[in-house]
Structure formats: structure tokens, C-alpha cells
Amino acid sequence: MQLMRIGAPGAEKPVVRVDDTHYIDVSDVTADFDEKFFAAGGPALLAERVARGDVREFAGERIGAPIARPHQILCIGLNYSDHAAETGQAVPGEPILFTKSPNTLVGPYDDVRIPRGSTKTDWEVELGVVIGRRTSYLDSAEEAKDAIAGYCVVNDVSERAFQMERGGQWSKGKSAETFNPAGPWLVTPDEIPDVTDLGMWLNVNGVRRQTGTTKTMIFDPYVIVHHLSQFMVLEPGDLINTGTPPGVGMGHDPQIWLRPGDVMELGIDRLGSQRQRVVGPR
């Protein structure tokens, strides 16, 4: 099942994607794909409604993030061996955790805004993991599979000067408005034969900058969810950004940074693709 939210910001309605041109409106079953929806059973609640059909045609509606604003966005740093190598940093012994403000979440085709004072805004194609039930102290990584509601494409936009040169927490370089495009849809795990074997890519202005695969993840999604559950309670609808493959702007020589007018295009096998225009500070 592929869950989408369509409509103006703040007024999105939940739908199930049928194909590129058709969807099923499920707003009569749930008001939104939010914490309440996932806690009550998530996609399983929609099976009967989807079976009844009532297929409609997309009519150019805006596509929002596939989930409502989550309780938290958790992020894993340096989680691809080839990305760690390009940054010159050691492969971590356990997942590196930082947080991202939940209000960074935007749709997959919304503009990305460079923040005031930025000199080093960067891109990161990532696999997003959405939690399906309240989760803590999981006994194993295998058990974590049942706690995952689905997967989506995420662009973990980052401001490297804020992140690396200003001291304190990485979150300062991660939490500017529009810094977390997600979607276009949330894909349930049954549609993904092997989440550790998905191709990933990102272009800037038509030039390929990132080419990778989840095969080079140091910690797979199940290990990550199990690990995080030992330190915090994961709530239904929480989003986890699981790290990026090589090719970020910071990793190039010379380094490359986003500027107003740039266009990012990115995608992951089976999860769809995104496109964002970069705009200047407000």
C-alpha cells in the first residue's frame, strides 16, 4: 500500500495511491496519517476501504508529506560506509543520533528555503522509516520489523556551517524551515522485498551528485529501531532519517553548496522521487 496526502499545506487529505494517475480517498476512514492513525493499526485500517475501490483521478493537487507532523524526527549520522569515507571520519561503533525539528517536514515538491546567514546549505538523499506503534526496549532487531509502518524518500537538507562550525548540537544545522522534504508516498513494508538493497540517487541542476545503495548502510533500519528503543519511547508516526550515501556537497572537492535557483531531484527504488527548487532566505 502507498499512502499519500494531497492538498494545500495544512489542509491535506489522506489517500491511497493506485497508480500515477489514480487514488482512493480514505478521509472517511481517518482524518490524517498521524499518530492516532498509526496507533490504531495504520494501513490495516484501510484494507476494506481500498477493496471497495471508488477510484478517483489526480487533478494536479499539491502532494504533501505522506505523514502528518510527527512527534519527533530522529536522524542517524554517518550511516553509510562510503559516506563516512568521503568525510574522512571513522565508521561509528553504534548509531550516531541527532534530532531534527518536526516542523521541518514539507512535501516532496515544495520549495527548500536557504536560511538567513547560510553559506553551506547541502543535500542528502535518505531512506525514511516511519514507526507504526509505540515502541520501547525491543528485545532484538528482528522484533523491530513489526514496529515499522513503512518507508519513504527523505531529503535531509543540512546547513554545514551551522552544523559543524558553530559548536553545540548538529540539530542547529538541520532544523531550518523546509529542511525535511518527504514522500511522495509512504510504502508499506510488504511492498519492499529487501530494504537493504535499494538504489538511491540525487541530482542538482541535472548533474548526478549522489549514487548509492542501502547495501552500504552500517546499521540497517531494524538495527536502528532496536537501538533507539533502548534510549527512548518511539511514538506511532515518528520519522527516522537513516543516513545518506556519498556525494553530498560537503564531500566534493571543491565543495559545492546550494544556491537560490538550484533544483534538486532525488529518489529511491520502489519509493518514488522528489523535486525541489531552492529559494533564498525570507
Side-chain angles (χ1 to χ4, degrees), residues 57-78:
E57 190 167 355
F58 288 111
E61 299 93 343
R62 169 186 172 269
I63 298 175
I67 58 172
R69 184 184 296 186
H71 171 260
Q72 57 186 346
I73 298 177
L74 303 169
C75 306
I76 306 301
L78 295 177

Side-chain angles (χ1 to χ4, degrees), residues 12-31:
E12 297 94 342
K13 69 177 180 179
V15 306
V16 173
R17 178 180 181 268
V18 175
D19 54 35
D20 286 346
T21 55
H22 298 88
Y23 69 90
I24 297 172
D25 185 344
V26 294
S27 58
D28 56 335
V29 178
T30 181

